[in-house]
């Protein structure tokens, strides 16, 4: 997962940034998105599933998955848009960085589920069969689907890169076609035809199909990076207005669905057509915030760099931190209730996650757990290189 940098832009600066291959504004983009992911999961763990208010807050927070898939494809296309790609070399380099931690953490969460289950585990064969199914379907824990879909992005990326010329020549046709498919898919997932069971619909959740538009959006933005970057900087009030307007549409869609009898948890689902404009506007807003930060004094840049270096591990580990905080959730919830449970548990989850990640990054098998080499080895390598 590469990031990229633009200091204060001058004429020709985007081209020089492209040659360097690091856009610093994406560091803050990535950090803000991870923080929102953790907050959304904390909110879900500290409120009741059918709480109308908390589900209204969760509705726009689903932007995180779309923002990540847009970022993932953007970074890949940005890096390879003007240079050849050997598919075999690309897969050998990229796939293990995600596939190995995915399998390792699937096993860890599977084992944690067995240890904490109220019902006694069945036979060893049945447990292993369940593990195999969970690895194939991305269901070992509620957030691991993201890694499975990321692997699909990697596998299809060489094919996507062959379409760069089409994207360069006809960006609006590409976006329009992909957007139309996105609307059709979300309508099907949110309002499946009569006779289609939820078990059938849920199989799509761990595939690239419900996220393809955001991956295409990232690819188009990467191919036309200079124009997109300039437009966002010049039209920051348009971006801000889009954020406000699309958020109003998303919340109106949620409350209208609840008013018409849908369960709040379903009305706040990530695959709702009324969330598409909000997700696009939020992606632009995150990028604009990162750009403004990168062009200013970049306060907290050391903290941002520290967090970005650990972002993948933070994503992998934060659900286990949240699960370990169950006694705190019960204690604060019984004594203070909402929203104080969320207020107390969110910083506690961040702190415990950071602690877990710092331990993991110092283990010899850090690469298998975090996708990064152990911190000590990096320091030794830096010393030798110096």
């Amino acid at each position: 997962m590469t990031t990229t940098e633009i200091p204060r832009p001058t004429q020709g600066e985007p081209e020089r940034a492209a040659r360097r291959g690091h856009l610093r504004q994406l560091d803050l983009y990535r950090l803000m998105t991870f923080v929102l992911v953790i907050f959304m999961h904390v909110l879900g763990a500290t409120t009741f599933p059918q709480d109308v208010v908390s589900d209204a807050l969760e509705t726009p927070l689903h932007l995180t998955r779309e923002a990540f898939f847009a970022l993932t494809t953007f970074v890949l296309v940005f890096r390879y848009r003007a240079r050849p790609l050997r598919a075999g070399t690309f897969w050998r380099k990229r796939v293990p960085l995600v596939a190995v931690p995915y399998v390792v953490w699937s096993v860890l969460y599977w084992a944690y589920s067995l240890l904490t289950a109220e019902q006694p585990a069945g036979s060893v064969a049945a447990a292993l069969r369940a593990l195999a199914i969970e690895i194939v379907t991305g269901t070992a824990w509620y957030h691991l689907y993201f890694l499975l879909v990321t692997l699909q992005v990697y596998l299809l990326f060489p094919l996507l890169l062959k379409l760069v010329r089409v994207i360069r020549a006809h960006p609006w046709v590409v976006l329009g076609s992909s957007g139309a498919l996105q609307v059709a898919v979300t309508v099907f997932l949110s309002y499946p035809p009569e006779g289609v069971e939820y078990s059938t619909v849920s199989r799509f959740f761990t595939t690239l199909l419900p996220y393809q538009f955001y991956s295409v959006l990232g690819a188009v933005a990467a191919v036309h990076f200079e124009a997109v970057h300039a437009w966002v900087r010049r039209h920051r009030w348009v971006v801000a207005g889009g954020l406000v307007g699309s958020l109003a549409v998303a919340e109106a869609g949620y409350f209208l669905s609840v008013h018409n009898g849908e369960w709040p948890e379903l009305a706040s689902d990530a695959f709702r057509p009324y969330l598409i404009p909000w997700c696009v506007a939020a992606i632009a807003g995150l990028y604009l915030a990162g750009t403004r930060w990168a062009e200013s004094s970049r306060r907290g840049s050391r903290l941002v760099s520290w967090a970005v270096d650990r972002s993948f591990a933070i994503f992998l580990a934060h659900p286990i931190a949240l699960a370990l905080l169950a006694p705190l959730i019960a204690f604060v919830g019984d004594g203070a209730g909402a929203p104080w449970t969320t207020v107390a548990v969110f910083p506690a989850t961040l702190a415990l996650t950071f602690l877990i990640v710092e331990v993991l990054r110092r283990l010899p098998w850090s690469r298998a757990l975090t996708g990064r080499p152990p911190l000590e080895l990096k320091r030794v390598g830096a010393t030798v290189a110096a």
Side-chain angles (χ1 to χ4, degrees):
M1 294 185 184
T2 335
T3 53
T4 22
E5 165 180 333
I6 293 186
R8 295 182 182 276
T10 58
Q11 186 174 2
E13 185 61 26
E15 290 80 2
R16 290 194 290 274
R19 287 195 296 270
R20 288 197 300 271
H22 183 81
L23 300 173
R24 190 174 295 276
Q25 62 266 40
L26 298 188
D27 290 348
L28 189 64
Y29 176 112
R30 188 187 304 272
L31 176 60
M32 290 188 295
T33 310
F34 271 113
V35 170
L36 290 175
V37 167
I38 297 175
F39 179 74
M40 180 176 65
H41 291 161
V42 169
L43 183 63
T46 55
T47 56
F48 293 106
Q50 301 305 333
D51 187 304
V52 174
V53 175
S54 65
D55 284 330
L57 293 175
E58 282 191 48
T59 297
L61 292 175
H62 288 300
L63 72 96
T64 53
R65 63 182 76 187
E66 285 78 6
F68 274 131
F69 287 122
L71 176 64
T72 298
T73 312
F74 173 91
V75 170
L76 291 174
V77 174
F78 185 84
R79 168 165 290 216
Y80 290 100
R81 64 177 183 169
R83 68 182 192 181
L85 171 73
R86 293 183 178 180
T89 302
F90 173 82
W91 288 329
R92 284 194 299 272
K93 179 181 178 181
R94 289 277 179 169
V95 170
L97 293 178
V98 174
V100 174
Y102 169 68
V103 173
V104 169
W105 280 93
S106 293
V107 172
L108 291 176
Y109 281 109
W110 165 81
Y112 179 82
S113 298
L114 291 179
L115 292 174
T116 58
E118 296 181 358
Q119 300 295 329
S123 66
V124 174
L128 292 176
R129 186 165 54 251
L131 171 62
I133 293 173
E134 289 172 356
I135 291 175
V136 171
T137 59
T139 55
W141 210 255
Y142 56 79
H143 67 312
L144 291 176
Y145 75 92
F146 175 77
L147 276 68
L148 190 60
V149 180
T150 300
L151 289 171
Q152 295 169 45
V153 173
Y154 285 175
L155 291 175
L156 292 174
F157 177 68
L159 177 61
L160 175 63
L161 203 61
K162 293 182 181 296
L163 301 176
V164 163
R165 290 184 180 178
V166 178
I167 293 173
R168 183 174 288 114
H170 308 287
W172 294 113
V173 173
V174 172
L175 279 176
S177 302
S178 178
L181 176 60
Q182 187 70 30
V183 171
V185 169
T186 52
V187 168
F188 171 78
L189 295 179
S190 297
Y191 315 105
E194 186 176 352
V196 177
E197 298 181 356
Y198 180 79
S199 58
T200 301
V201 173
S202 64
R203 292 193 182 100
F204 291 96
F205 296 171
T206 56
T207 70
L208 181 58
L209 186 60
Y211 315 103
Q212 56 82 28
F213 171 69
Y214 304 100
S215 288
V216 171
L217 181 65
V220 171
V223 172
H224 297 276
F225 165 69
E226 293 78 11
V228 171
H229 174 76
W231 189 93
V232 171
R233 289 184 68 253
R234 285 198 311 269
H235 298 87
R236 57 183 182 274
W237 291 113
V238 175
V239 175
L243 283 169
V244 174
S246 60
L247 179 59
V249 170
E251 292 294 355
Y254 164 76
F255 281 109
L256 182 61
S257 297
V258 173
H259 177 75
N260 289 335
E262 284 198 75
W263 287 100
E265 188 177 16
L266 289 177
S268 65
D269 185 76
F271 306 109
R272 291 282 163 158
Y274 45 75
L275 280 177
I276 295 175
W278 159 250
C279 290
V280 174
I283 290 169
L286 288 169
Y287 182 82
L288 176 61
T291 298
R292 300 282 289 178
W293 171 78
E295 294 173 359
S296 67
S297 59
R298 294 203 296 264
R299 292 180 180 178
S301 58
R302 189 170 295 181
L303 174 62
V304 171
S305 297
W306 177 90
V308 167
D309 182 64
R310 293 155 176 79
S311 59
F312 187 41
I314 290 170
F315 175 78
L316 290 166
H318 81 270
I320 198 70
L322 185 56
L324 294 173
L325 289 171
L328 175 64
I329 296 174
F331 176 77
V332 180
D334 291 342
W340 306 112
T341 311
T342 304
V343 172
V345 173
F346 178 58
T349 303
L350 288 175
L352 183 55
T353 301
F354 293 160
L355 177 61
I356 292 172
V357 168
E358 285 304 295
V359 172
L360 296 179
R361 286 297 305 277
R362 286 165 171 78
L363 296 177
W365 46 90
S366 171
R367 193 180 295 274
L369 289 164
T370 70
R372 297 274 190 172
L375 290 174
E376 288 81 2
L377 293 182
K378 286 182 68 177
R379 285 199 293 269
V380 170
T383 303
V384 172

